[in-house]
Amino acid sequence: MCLAIPVQVKEVLPDNIAKVTLDGVSKIVSTALIDDVRPGDYLVLHVGYALAKIDPEEAERTLALIRQAAAMGDAA
């Protein structure tokens, strides 16, 4: 199964690269597939590549569902 997750852009770097965060974890990712990436944007990330922009509300809903699923797994 493949999983793409929302991440928030903290810094745009040269050469189609950005620094993103998810729950305090930072990662450097490729933004070559997306135009006009800016700090604060949410991106859908899959194996180090940003695939698309996502609006902040949808990103937060998705992250809440992922956290909820993780908590349910911890309870099992």
Side-chain angles (χ1 to χ4, degrees):
M1 174 173 80
C2 296
L3 179 64
I5 55 173
V7 294
Q8 187 175 33
V9 176
K10 291 299 179 184
E11 183 179 357
V12 176
L13 304 170
D15 300 322
N16 294 315
I17 302 293
K19 182 177 182 180
V20 300
T21 62
L22 175 62
D23 284 342
V25 177
S26 295
K27 184 168 178 69
I28 302 297
V29 302
S30 172
T31 58
L33 303 174
I34 302 173
D35 293 328
D36 195 32
V37 174
R38 298 177 185 200
D41 285 348
Y42 280 88
L43 308 175
V44 176
L45 181 69
H46 178 63
V47 294
Y49 291 89
L51 302 178
K53 285 187 185 181
I54 186 172
D55 68 65
E57 294 81 18
E58 183 66 22
E60 290 300 331
R61 281 194 300 271
T62 301
L63 291 170
L65 287 170
I66 292 170
R67 289 181 191 111
Q68 182 181 17
M72 291 174 68
D74 289 342

